[in-house]
Amino acid sequence: MRRLFPFPLPTAPDAAEDALPGADRTAGPEGSTDREWTLDELAAAYAYPEADDPLRVGRPGWLRANMVSSLDGAAHHEGRSQPLSGDADMRIFGVLRALSDAVVVGAETVRREGYRPARARAAFAARRAAAGQGPAPAIAVVSAGLALDFTLPLFTEPLVPTVVLTGTDAPEERLRAARAAGAEVLFAGEGLGIDPGRVAGALAARGHTRLLTEGGPRLLGQFAAAGALDEMCLSLAPVVAVGSAQRIMDGPAVAVPERFALVSVLEESGFLFTRYRRL
């Protein structure tokens, strides 16, 4: 893996004098050497903004998305994202999960991808303990009708209780089933559905402020259209999928496209791993 942006410094002795403002000035992962990064290096590269960071002023938490796309814009192949992924993408996927308090995902993605509880990873145990986090992130499932199988391991075997986010008019019998399975039910909207602008606040009230969403495209589109998305981590896979797969976002149109700023670009085996933050 190598960093393409921010631009690594040249290796000449006088490089520091000629470096562009904001260029990285340290050796190792900040340079252009192509090598496998350690988990600690990836964790540092993808660290969440601190609670007092100006980027987070006025926001209950920090919601970042992690998605993979083919060169032709497909978010999946035959209904699953795995065919677009690779080794480096899966390492980053694991690191982003390990840094988060909760992983927010839509019910359809849970069903299609066969979601299981997040696992504890020894490599991140000390980091999570120091940050006041539990052994693993909670999975937070967004569902209007709660048409979920509550006998699955996601609900019966989590290290921390799975969260279900829904609206106040969700079917009462399904709410009882969710609670009976041990899920924590949070209301983030009036009526049957959730208000995407209220999800971060509902989770922050339970101590989950470092949020990661893995989609699917419809949920991510709702977050983006509501102005609730703080950061986009997009893996661009060097493959072409063709077909009729969705884009990574599928939501209501916005009056004016929202601008994000490029934070970093990493590369490995032809994959580009980009990070963008809202302006």
Side-chain angles (χ1 to χ4, degrees):
M1 180 171 287
R2 58 198 176 112
R3 184 186 295 277
L4 302 184
F5 181 85
F7 304 112
L9 281 177
T11 56
D14 59 350
E17 296 180 3
D18 299 330
L20 294 173
D24 293 315
R25 298 176 178 273
T26 56
E30 304 300 330
S32 58
T33 302
D34 191 1
R35 62 178 179 82
E36 184 171 319
W37 287 22
T38 67
L39 294 179
D40 281 341
E41 289 167 340
L42 286 172
Y46 283 94
Y48 279 85
E50 296 295 335
D52 60 353
D53 192 305
L55 289 169
R56 286 183 55 176
V57 171
R59 305 187 74 80
W62 187 263
L63 177 63
R64 68 166 36 143
N66 180 34
M67 297 289 281
V68 62
S69 169
S70 68
L71 292 177
D72 54 322
H76 56 77
H77 179 65
E78 296 184 345
R80 300 187 69 242
S81 59
Q82 190 278 332
L84 306 182
S85 187
D87 290 343
D89 183 52
M90 291 309 299
R91 287 202 307 276
I92 291 174
F93 172 90
V95 168
L96 293 181
R97 278 198 164 199
L99 295 176
S100 69
D101 297 329
V103 178
V104 186
V105 63
E108 180 58 29
T109 298
V110 166
R111 291 187 284 263
R112 186 177 64 243
E113 301 275 359
Y115 261 59
R116 297 182 63 85
R119 60 189 179 90
R121 300 182 62 185
F124 291 92
R127 184 184 293 270
R128 290 187 65 85
Q133 296 172 302
I139 303 296
V141 185
V142 175
S143 177
L146 303 185
L148 300 162
D149 184 350
F150 294 115
T151 68
L152 293 177
L154 178 61
F155 299 99
T156 61
E157 301 175 7
L159 284 174
V160 294
T162 294
V163 176
V164 174
L165 291 150
T166 191
T168 54
D169 289 346
E172 187 60 39
E173 69 278 8
R174 299 307 296 163
L175 289 172
R176 288 196 297 269
R179 292 179 175 125
E184 181 179 7
V185 176
L186 300 181
F187 294 110
E190 308 300 325
L192 281 175
I194 60 104
D195 175 350
R198 291 174 54 181
V199 168
L203 288 167
R206 294 297 189 274
H208 301 315
T209 59
R210 305 172 188 89
L211 305 178
L212 171 68
T213 180
E214 297 168 352
R218 186 169 60 177
L219 178 62
L220 184 53
Q222 291 174 338
F223 281 136
L229 183 65
D230 297 303
E231 181 178 328
M232 182 75 224
C233 298
L234 176 63
S235 300
L236 184 63
V239 300
V240 173
V242 196
S244 58
Q246 291 173 291
R247 297 156 49 188
I248 63 167
M249 296 188 192
D250 180 11
V254 295
V256 178
E258 186 174 8
R259 184 73 178 268
F260 279 62
L262 181 64
V263 177
S264 67
V265 182
L266 309 178
E267 185 275 335
E268 182 172 312
S269 301
F271 282 79
L272 295 179
F273 304 101
T274 67
R275 288 179 70 199
Y276 292 86
R277 284 180 179 167
R278 60 183 297 133
L279 292 172

